[in-house]
């Protein structure tokens, strides 16, 4: 089993006839999925998604893959192939198309409809090609065949790539629900057929590789949702991903069965469900859907609200309701249904929202206390099944945190894939498929690119560190006025602190030390403002660290008068 080395160099020139695979996102994380495949000097991109920020990303809206590797090779890209319509697979498409807007975008009907709506907001009109399962398309030097897979959004596809240098099967996100709500199962017959043809590299979804057995069928949660609708006394507020068509379908069906009306809350929810209904993926029972403005005319026990915020996102509708910062006020007797799983890293944010809602008197039903959600990813039993059907020559686990990738690699080995042919890689690691063997050959830049308001890529790790210090440790400003002629201190130092439990007068203790240090600097002939600032920063930082056990941001200001 290969393991990436932190000191890997840039990869060598790709050997003639070989295939190169570079994940620019999705390895070691849940989200930001993007894989670049190269053959004969041409590139194909599979998925282009975003990662949602966590607590240690203050002020960040989205995290994108790093496109640096592609910037000089945009003309070489034959297509972007999208496996399905979740944000962690399509959310970064607008940012890539900003660099070159005519790169063809390939995907299923629903996936492309969701992407096109997103691109419209960015004022980009893409060149698209709609494909369906069983279809085969020539995309430059790549021969792509599309296979139906079942996931928590309709119209998901795996893609099989044939090249003269080898074949690759990318599952995208998938599971093997045998009784899916839309009747569209993962096409294991196609997987077996491709296995017979020969799969040189199998890129498999790792999200649930640690979970034993088989993922529960979507149909099995219907009774739990029905129970919520039958026992709720007042309003029901359902929080879900804005693209989870199957779950919203179950909510609409339960609302109809229990004589309730449903209103969508939030721009992305209204947009995505409108698209799904228009294309026939969401069957809306007649008379069930109403405008949010008309809900006031209905009794509380006839109302269902469907909104975003199931991951505790601070600006989403549910979080704002929990903080009493939304026009919809949650209160006693309301029932909130969190109809989604927890994305790793979001647990604290979600529990904060749950606590806030319960403090307001709501009953909160979630995956932890009721069977109201099932995962959209294959568990270990399903992955084993796939390995035995496909019999790949090489395996590269994708889509998951490191522990998930390792668990998936272990499953591959159990089914007989040789240890040396299971490639564990991180983002930016270059994997070359040469003469039927996959191995790590180098690394390219693949850092985080932050979307911060209107800025894309302008936010650095240093800036985020500063924000974390300001948030966690506070800051101190020290103003000193210096006589421009003599170089001696004419006024100050004056200290202002924010974010400290101690009173302002505690900083009087450091003033004598600071005055002494500044006088000594003047005697040494120090005239440079930057050097004086460093003296101030060193003295105050040392004192605050020892006395108050804090490491705040220290901002010294030297003014010449």
């Amino acid at each position: 089993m290969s393991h990436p080395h932190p000191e890997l160099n840039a990869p060598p020139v790709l050997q003639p006839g070989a295939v190169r695979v570079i994940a620019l996102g999705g390895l070691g994380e849940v989200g930001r999925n993007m894989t670049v495949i190269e053959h004969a000097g041409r590139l194909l991109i599979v998925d282009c998604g975003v990662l949602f920020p966590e607590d240690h990303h203050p002020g960040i809206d989205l995290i994108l893959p790093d496109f640096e590797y592609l910037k000089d090779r945009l003309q070489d890209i034959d297509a972007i192939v999208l496996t399905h319509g979740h944000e962690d697979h399509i959310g970064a498409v607008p940012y890539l198309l900003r660099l070159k807007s005519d790169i063809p975008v390939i995907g299923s009907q629903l996936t492309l409809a969701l992407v096109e709506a997103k691109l419209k907001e960015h004022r980009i009109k893409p060149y698209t090609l709609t494909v369906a399962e069983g279809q085969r398309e020539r995309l430059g030097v790549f021969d792509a065949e599309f296979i139906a897979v079942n996931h928590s959004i309709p119209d998901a596809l795996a893609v099989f790539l044939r090249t003269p240098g080898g074949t690759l099967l990318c599952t995208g996100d998938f599971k093997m629900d045998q009784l899916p709500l839309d009747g569209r199962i993962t096409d294991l017959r196609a997987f077996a057929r491709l296995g017979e043809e020969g799969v040189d590299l199998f890129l498999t979804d790792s999200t649930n590789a640690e979970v034993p057995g088989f993922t529960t069928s979507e149909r099995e949660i219907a009774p739990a949702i029905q129970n919520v609708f039958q026992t709720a006394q007042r309003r029901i507020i359902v929080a879900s991903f804005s693209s989870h068509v199957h779950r919203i379908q179950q909510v609409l069906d339960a609302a109809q069965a229990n004589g309730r009306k449903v209103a969508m809350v939030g721009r992305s929810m209204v947009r995505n469900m409108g698209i799904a209904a228009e294309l026939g993926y969401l069957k809306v029972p007649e008379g069930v859907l109403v405008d949010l403005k008309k809900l006031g005319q209905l009794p509380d026990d006839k109302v269902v609200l469907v909104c975003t915020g199931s991951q505790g996102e601070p600006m989403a509708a549910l979080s704002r309701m929990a903080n009493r910062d939304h026009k919809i006020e949650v209160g006693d007797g309301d029932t909130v249904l969190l109809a989604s799983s927890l994305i790793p890293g979001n647990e604290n944010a979600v529990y904060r929202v749950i606590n806030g809602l319960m403090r307001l008197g709501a009953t909160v039903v979630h995956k932890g206390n009721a069977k109201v959600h099932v995962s959209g990813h294959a568990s270990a039993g399903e992955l084993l099944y796939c390995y035995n059907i496909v019999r790949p020559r090489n395996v590269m686990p994708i889509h998951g945190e490191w522990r998930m990738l390792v668990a998936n690699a272990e499953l591959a080995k159990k089914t007989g894939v040789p240890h040396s042919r299971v490639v564990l890689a991180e983002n930016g690691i270059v994997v070359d498929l040469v003469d039927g063997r996959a191995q790590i050959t180098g690394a390219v830049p693949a850092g985080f690119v932050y979307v911060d308001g209107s800025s894309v890529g302008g936010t650095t790790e240093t800036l985020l560190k500063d924000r974390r210090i300001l948030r966690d440790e506070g800051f101190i400003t020290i103003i000193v006025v210096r006589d421009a002629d003599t170089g001696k201190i004419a006024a100050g130092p004056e200290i202002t602190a924010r974010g400290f439990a101690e009173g302002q007068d505690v900083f009087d203790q450091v003033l004598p030390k600071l005055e002494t240090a500044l006088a000594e600097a003047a005697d040494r002939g120090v005239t440079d403002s930057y050097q004086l600032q460093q003296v101030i920063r060193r003295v105050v930082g040392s004192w605050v660290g020892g006395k108050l056990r804090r490491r705040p941001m220290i901002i010294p200001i030297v003014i010449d008068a």
Side-chain angles (χ1 to χ4, degrees):
M1 188 184 299
S2 309
H3 190 286
H5 194 279
E7 295 177 5
L8 282 170
N9 297 317
V13 175
L14 184 60
Q15 293 184 32
V19 180
R20 175 164 286 173
V21 179
I22 308 172
L24 296 181
L27 302 188
E29 60 197 2
V30 176
R32 218 167 58 119
N33 298 293
M34 181 175 182
T35 307
V36 179
I37 298 164
E38 178 177 356
H39 177 68
R42 305 300 296 172
L43 305 176
L44 185 82
I45 294 169
V46 178
D47 291 326
C48 187
V50 296
L51 181 68
F52 293 103
E54 297 180 29
D55 287 347
H56 58 277
H57 299 123
I60 298 303
D61 301 316
L62 294 171
I63 305 172
L64 308 178
D66 188 347
F67 301 143
E68 191 61 37
Y69 174 70
L70 298 172
K71 281 182 178 171
D72 295 331
R73 303 198 59 187
L74 295 171
Q75 302 299 327
D76 298 338
I77 301 172
D78 284 328
I80 303 168
V81 173
L82 302 174
T83 59
H84 65 282
H86 280 151
E87 284 294 305
D88 59 336
H89 290 256
I90 68 169
V93 171
Y95 299 94
L96 181 56
L97 291 189
R98 280 185 190 182
L99 303 178
K100 189 173 188 291
S101 61
D102 62 348
I103 300 171
V105 182
I106 320 297
S108 65
Q109 184 182 35
L110 179 62
T111 303
L112 289 183
L114 295 173
V115 170
E116 285 167 354
K118 185 180 292 295
L119 288 168
K120 195 173 183 182
E121 294 180 3
H122 289 257
R123 296 177 183 170
I124 297 172
K125 187 164 178 56
Y127 172 75
T128 60
L129 172 66
T130 304
V131 293
E133 56 263 32
Q135 196 166 330
R136 195 165 163 176
E137 291 289 339
R138 189 83 194 175
L139 305 174
V141 300
F142 303 92
D143 179 346
E145 181 177 342
F146 299 92
I147 303 106
V149 291
N150 177 250
H151 186 41
S152 52
I153 186 172
D155 239 7
L157 296 168
V159 58
F160 182 62
L161 299 172
R162 296 175 176 90
T163 76
T167 57
L168 301 88
L169 177 55
C170 311
T171 64
D173 288 355
F174 83 108
K175 60 178 176 176
M176 287 162 49
D177 192 336
Q178 298 304 297
L179 297 168
L181 295 173
D182 59 0
R184 186 175 177 273
I185 63 171
T186 293
D187 190 351
L188 296 178
R189 294 172 69 187
F191 275 30
R193 173 175 54 80
L194 298 174
E196 290 295 324
E197 180 179 330
V199 175
D200 290 315
L201 184 60
F202 193 26
L203 298 105
T204 52
D205 178 9
S206 305
T207 312
N208 267 2
E210 291 182 300
V211 180
F214 285 65
T215 302
T216 307
S217 173
E218 294 276 348
R219 288 183 189 273
E220 291 192 27
I221 66 171
I225 293 175
Q226 184 69 15
N227 184 56
V228 169
F229 274 75
Q230 288 172 348
T231 57
Q233 299 169 0
R234 291 184 63 219
R235 296 176 300 181
I236 298 172
I237 300 166
V238 180
S240 172
F241 290 120
S242 63
S243 54
H244 203 332
V245 178
H246 295 324
R247 194 68 70 249
I248 305 307
Q249 184 69 64
Q250 289 174 310
V251 169
L252 291 173
D253 293 344
Q256 182 191 36
N258 290 276
R260 287 180 178 257
K261 303 291 185 185
V262 178
M264 305 284 177
V265 182
R267 190 167 55 94
S268 61
M269 182 66 76
V270 171
R271 180 190 69 199
N272 289 351
M273 290 308 128
I275 291 169
E278 189 179 318
L279 296 176
Y281 294 99
L282 184 71
K283 308 287 191 295
V284 181
E286 196 169 339
V288 166
L289 214 55
V290 295
D291 191 276
L292 184 60
K293 294 171 186 170
K294 295 181 180 175
L295 281 190
Q297 303 165 17
L298 296 169
D300 284 347
D301 63 353
K302 297 296 180 188
V303 167
V304 180
L305 295 157
V306 177
C307 66
T308 54
S310 60
Q311 297 303 308
E313 307 96 307
M315 295 310 294
L318 194 67
S319 297
R320 291 170 56 205
M321 290 177 201
N323 294 328
R324 294 184 170 178
D325 182 31
H326 198 279
K327 59 187 175 185
I328 296 165
E329 295 181 2
V330 176
D332 284 332
D334 286 338
T335 299
V336 178
L337 172 61
L338 291 178
S340 66
S341 59
L342 283 178
I343 292 176
N346 293 349
E347 294 90 347
N348 289 341
V350 172
Y351 288 127
R352 260 198 307 274
V353 170
I354 290 173
N355 287 327
L357 293 166
M358 295 186 76
R359 198 174 286 119
L360 296 173
T363 299
V364 182
V365 181
H366 55 90
K367 191 181 178 185
N369 60 20
K371 202 171 186 178
V372 290
H373 181 73
V374 297
S375 174
H377 302 271
S379 296
E382 291 151 273
L383 292 173
L384 288 170
Y385 209 98
C386 283
Y387 285 129
N388 285 329
I389 289 173
V390 174
R391 287 289 173 197
R393 297 188 181 98
N394 301 270
V395 169
M396 180 176 169
I398 56 171
H399 300 176
E401 294 182 353
W402 191 253
R403 58 192 168 87
M404 302 166 186
L405 301 179
V406 171
N408 198 354
E410 292 301 321
L411 294 174
K413 288 193 290 181
K414 283 180 181 176
T415 63
V417 180
H419 178 91
S420 61
R421 288 178 175 261
V422 180
V423 181
L424 268 177
E426 291 178 305
N427 294 331
I429 299 299
V430 177
V431 178
D432 286 352
L433 182 64
V434 183
D435 297 328
R437 194 175 197 91
Q439 54 192 3
I440 290 172
T441 59
V444 302
F448 291 110
V449 175
Y450 299 107
V451 178
D452 182 354
S454 61
S455 162
V456 178
T459 303
T460 62
E461 288 295 340
T462 303
L463 177 56
L464 283 182
K465 183 181 178 184
D466 286 348
R467 287 181 182 175
R468 288 192 288 267
I469 291 171
L470 286 168
R471 180 190 68 189
D472 300 335
E473 303 285 350
F475 74 93
I476 299 172
T477 305
I478 307 102
I479 300 175
V480 173
V481 180
R482 181 177 61 171
D483 188 309
D485 296 326
T486 66
K488 295 191 179 297
I489 303 306
E494 186 177 304
I495 298 179
T496 305
R498 291 288 182 271
F500 287 82
E502 295 81 6
Q504 184 72 33
D505 54 359
V506 74
F507 295 97
D508 293 344
Q509 299 173 35
V510 77
L511 288 176
K513 296 177 185 292
L514 198 49
E515 288 164 356
T516 301
L518 289 169
E520 288 174 354
D523 291 341
R524 292 197 308 271
V526 176
T527 58
D528 182 65
S529 293
Y530 176 75
Q531 287 182 297
L532 279 178
Q533 288 172 355
Q534 291 300 86
V535 169
I536 295 168
R537 188 176 278 118
R538 192 163 51 246
V539 172
V540 175
S542 176
W543 179 83
V544 171
K547 178 75 176 176
L548 304 182
R549 299 286 189 269
R550 298 282 288 275
R551 298 180 63 189
M553 181 172 288
I554 297 171
I555 307 170
I557 301 170
V558 177
I559 302 170
D560 285 330

